[in-house]
Amino acid sequence: MRTATTVELSETARDVAQFAVEAEKLGLDVCWVAEAWGTDAPSALGYLAARTQRMLLGAGVLQLGTRSPVIVAQTAITLSNLSSGRFLLGLGASGPQVIEGLHGVSFARPLARMTETVEIIRRVFTGGKISYSGNEFQLPRPGGEAVPMRLSARAEHEIPIYLAALSPAMLRLTGRIADGWLGTSFVPEGAAAAYFAHLDEGLAAAGRTRGEIDICQGAEVAFAADEDELRAMVAARKKELAFSLGGMGSASTNYYNRAYSRQGWTDVAAEVRQRWLRGDREGAARAVTDEMVLATTLIGTEEMVRARLAVWRDAGVDTVRLYPAGDTLEAKLATLGRAIELVRET
């Protein structure tokens, strides 16, 4: 398996940049930069491209609706050329809370918008004149004076496109059109039915196989010295998982909650969401089980993490995205370094 991590710049932006530089020295293969509702990803990626030399850099992810398809393609070409071909373009639909609440753009028809966005981006990458007639986008705009244009810039390298997908429909689309799948909330034991059945359906429709797409899954990694420390780690992470199950998305749309439901925790996921929406944050965290935390993370003793990585590999993960625990930059790098070693040994 390849190794990756995801960073997001905040008020400690310089520390994050230093983390990425040091992670490359540890042998990390890919560094994804998140966007969500914080800092933008392209600015950080341009900076990291100048600070690093070898590892791949990915937008993880750019959200649909916040930029036009052509400006996404322009951004991708710029970052790819600046980094000498080390750029990976990750795209995601996000959710109604961010897209509508923060950006004021309709979240309707995310599947259609993703399909047409990727089609337009790939047309831009070919370097020809851009003309497109779809249900979501029409280029040039009908009824105006414009004629099809081509960009003055050219992509000097191939730019792989990854889709962040959790829903069955988006997974099928990922299998049909993407070079990689960025997943989360991943439980290897439940992945065949919850994820891979839909992904493989899309791959088959496009005449492709699993080997033609990069399966990139992420989880927090932390090493516990003993059982007491492990119990404390699990307890602390229940609040984080409760937020994903109850607070990520809107009252009616939460892809994380649905993903956990498909992997065997329907009742628990529903209870956590109900408690969270009622404002009972503590009750929501208590409803999360130890099993849920351990199944979707890489935390435990070193032997536990080693064994879990083997399960991820056997389930079909090609790239493991590591979120290293630690209160300081040095602690996070130490955790990441040991995790990278374990992946290499797996």
Side-chain angles (χ1 to χ4, degrees), residues 42-334:
S43 298
L45 285 160
Y47 183 71
L48 293 180
R51 295 286 307 276
T52 57
Q53 298 179 346
R54 176 196 54 79
M55 69 182 177
L56 300 175
L57 300 169
V61 296
L62 301 186
Q63 303 152 346
L64 294 187
T66 61
R67 304 169 178 87
S68 74
V70 172
I71 203 167
V72 171
Q74 288 177 290
T75 301
I77 290 171
T78 302
L79 289 168
S80 179
N81 291 353
L82 280 173
S83 65
S84 300
R86 292 187 289 130
F87 178 68
L88 308 174
L89 175 59
L91 300 172
S94 189
Q97 180 57 50
V98 170
I99 298 303
E100 297 184 348
L102 191 60
H103 299 289
V105 178
S106 173
F107 184 69
R109 303 179 302 280
L111 191 71
R113 286 188 294 113
M114 181 67 84
T115 303
E116 294 190 13
T117 294
V118 173
E119 289 177 352
I120 293 170
I121 288 171
R122 287 211 164 112
R123 291 193 186 190
V124 176
F125 286 170
T126 65
K129 290 186 176 181
I130 306 162
S131 178
Y132 188 86
S133 180
N135 294 323
E136 304 298 317
F137 302 102
Q138 294 189 333
L139 300 171
R141 183 178 174 85
E145 300 179 11
V147 297
M149 297 176 60
R150 61 166 56 90
L151 295 188
S152 59
R154 298 289 185 272
E156 299 169 1
H157 311 273
E158 181 182 355
I159 305 175
I161 297 177
Y162 286 64
L163 299 189
L166 285 174
S167 72
M170 196 66 77
L171 285 162
R172 288 191 289 271
L173 179 65
T174 301
R176 284 200 298 109
I177 70 173
D179 300 298
W181 169 38
L182 289 172
T184 187
S185 307
F186 183 76
V187 181
E189 292 83 358
Y195 296 126
F196 287 128
H198 311 295
L199 186 72
D200 290 343
E201 184 179 341
L203 287 166
R208 303 201 296 164
T209 65
R210 190 90 65 81
E212 297 175 72
I213 191 170
D214 179 27
I215 308 297
C216 180
Q217 292 294 331
E220 181 182 10
V221 58
F223 296 104
D226 51 41
E227 290 296 326
D228 289 340
E229 186 176 5
L230 178 57
R231 280 192 291 271
M233 285 181 173
V234 171
R237 282 144 186 84
K238 288 185 178 183
K239 292 182 179 180
E240 300 168 7
L241 185 49
F243 171 69
S244 294
L245 295 171
M248 288 291 285
S250 66
S252 61
T253 305
N254 184 318
Y255 295 113
Y256 298 92
N257 192 289
R258 294 175 185 175
Y260 277 89
S261 295
R262 293 199 306 273
Q263 294 177 102
W265 289 295
T266 303
D267 293 340
V268 175
E271 181 182 354
V272 172
R273 182 168 172 271
Q274 290 168 4
R275 288 179 178 273
W276 187 277
L277 294 176
R278 291 201 304 264
D280 181 11
R281 306 295 194 256
E282 294 299 324
R286 287 195 302 272
V288 175
T289 67
D290 292 1
E291 181 191 10
M292 292 176 74
V293 174
L294 292 172
T296 54
T297 61
L298 294 167
I299 67 174
T301 63
E302 188 168 299
E303 287 308 309
M304 289 174 64
V305 174
R306 186 196 305 273
R308 201 67 187 153
L309 283 169
V311 174
W312 278 47
R313 178 204 60 204
D314 295 344
V317 175
D318 300 303
T319 303
V320 57
R321 205 163 63 252
L322 303 161
Y323 303 101
D327 295 328
T328 65
L329 175 62
E330 291 74 17
K332 290 180 180 179
L333 287 169

Side-chain angles (χ1 to χ4, degrees), residues 28-43:
L28 190 75
D29 297 307
V30 189
C31 182
W32 294 92
V33 177
E35 194 166 67
W37 53 90
T39 54
D40 77 288
S43 298

